[in-house]
């Protein structure tokens, strides 16, 4: 373990985008002959794997996305990290990979954050330290079978907002002709193969004037699923908040938290259910795209079949429901108020 140096890098924290910025250390553990190594901090940004690795050929890899934030009193906070550990376990199960034990996952995350203390954006900067735990199938291989070895790695990078703009800015989404995930495919786990296929949809969405692609269900193209990097929540009249129920979307930790805040703190009636996009759209008051990177990004409009469809309460600006949810969530994440749910976990420095 390294000794934490309590100084900060000379970085223009307020102008960071969502880009890779090299930091000093990453945590790496390897799985070989049926056992995990203890894991260690290293400095190399490069992964060395066998040319036959399943992660390179057959997409046998998975990852997670989390953030560490500095609280006003200087504490460094993670947000529900045990849920990321559990989701990576589910990804491992789905892709027949060696599972990363929760203890190893959490230790790797905390060590990578602690060792890169100087890169954790200060309180009030609007930036956060993005954490990318990843698991790769490695080792000599050719045929279609799970890897004999694995590398678990956690790297971090200071980041600003995912979508251009600062704080809460309205975004637009576009439905393209591409599907993200099949009902019994891998959509519900966080694996690289779910993303490469979406690059073209994102490119088209951007060319059409949107920030990102929005996906409908692959089987019928009628029900709402999720955006390329975020789940969807929708407010309806009568203090209701709904979110799509589907076996093909990633179970977002941000979404689960937002739904609970809506129910327990805003007294909203919440429901996870199939949402028919065209038939129900006229009822949508506000929509939010939620995820670690996206936080809650209010959605102003959706392009569908060449027509821009606007949310009732977001034409002029950010609507009140998304604003309240954003405030409640980010205040908990940044330790600005008491954490009634016990969601934040402090990284001891
Ligand atoms: N959906 C997809 C496809 C994602 O990549 C992400 C980001 O992780 C999310 C949803 C949001 O999940 P979470 O809130 O756990 O970050
Ligand atoms: C996240 O929100 O953590 C993501 O992984 C989204 C995207 C950058 C893939």
């Amino acid at each position: 373990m390294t000794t934490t140096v309590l100084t900060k890098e000379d970085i223009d924290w307020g102008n960071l985008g969502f880009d890779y910025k090299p930091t000093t250390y990453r945590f790496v553990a390897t799985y070989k002959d049926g056992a995990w190594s203890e894991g260690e901090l290293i400095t190399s940004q490069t992964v060395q794997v066998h040319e036959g690795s399943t992660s390179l050929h057959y997409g046998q890899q998975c990852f997670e996305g989390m953030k560490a934030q500095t609280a006003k009193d200087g504490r460094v906070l993670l947000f529900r990290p045990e849920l990321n550990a559990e989701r990576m376990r589910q990804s491992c199960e789905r892709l027949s990979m060696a599972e990363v034990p929760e203890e190893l996952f959490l230790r790797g995350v905390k060590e990578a954050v602690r060792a890169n203390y100087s890169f954790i954006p200060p309180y009030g900067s609007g930036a956060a330290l993005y954490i990318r735990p990843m698991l790769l199938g490695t080792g000599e291989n050719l045929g279609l079978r799970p890897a004999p070895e694995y590398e678990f790695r956690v790297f971090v990078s200071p980041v600003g907002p995912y979508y251009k703009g600062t704080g809460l800015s309205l975004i637009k989404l576009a439905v393209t002709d591409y599907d993200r995930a099949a009902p019994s495919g891998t959509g519900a786990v966080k694996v690289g193969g779910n993303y490469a296929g979406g690059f073209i949809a994102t490119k088209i969405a951007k060319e059409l004037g949107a920030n990102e692609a929005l996906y409908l269900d692959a089987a019928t193209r009628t029900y709402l699923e999720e955006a390329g990097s975020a789940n969807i929540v929708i407010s309806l009249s009568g203090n209701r908040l709904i979110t799509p129920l589907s076996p093909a979307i990633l179970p977002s930790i941000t979404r689960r938290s937002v739904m609970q805040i809506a129910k327990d703190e805003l007294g909203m009636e919440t429901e996870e259910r199939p949402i028919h996009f065209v038939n129900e759209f006229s009822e949508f008051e506000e929509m939010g795209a939620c995820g670690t990177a996206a936080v809650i990004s209010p959605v102003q409009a959706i392009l569908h079949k060449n027509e821009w469809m606007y949310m009732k309460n977001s034409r002029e600006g950010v609507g009140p429901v998304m604003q309240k949810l954003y405030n409640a969530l980010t205040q908990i994440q940044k330790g600005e108020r008491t954490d009634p749910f016990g969601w934040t976990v402090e990284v001891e420095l």
Side-chain angles (χ1 to χ4, degrees), residues 18 63-66 130 132 162 190 195 228-230 291-294:
F18 194 89
F63 66 101
E64 276 300 321
M66 320 160 60
Y130 186 73
R132 177 53 66 85
Y162 190 64
K190 201 161 171 66
Y195 293 85
S229 64
T292 298

Side-chain angles (χ1 to χ4, degrees), residues 138-180:
T138 59
E140 185 183 305
N141 183 65
L142 188 58
L144 269 184
R145 66 179 80 84
E149 295 169 17
Y150 293 88
E151 173 169 321
F152 172 59
R153 177 177 278 245
V154 185
F155 73 82
V156 299
S157 176
V159 296
Y162 190 64
Y163 300 110
K164 275 195 215 90
T166 47
L168 250 198
S169 43
L170 287 162
I171 62 163
K172 289 181 175 153
L173 302 173
V175 179
T176 70
D177 290 337
Y178 292 96
D179 297 318
R180 175 180 174 274

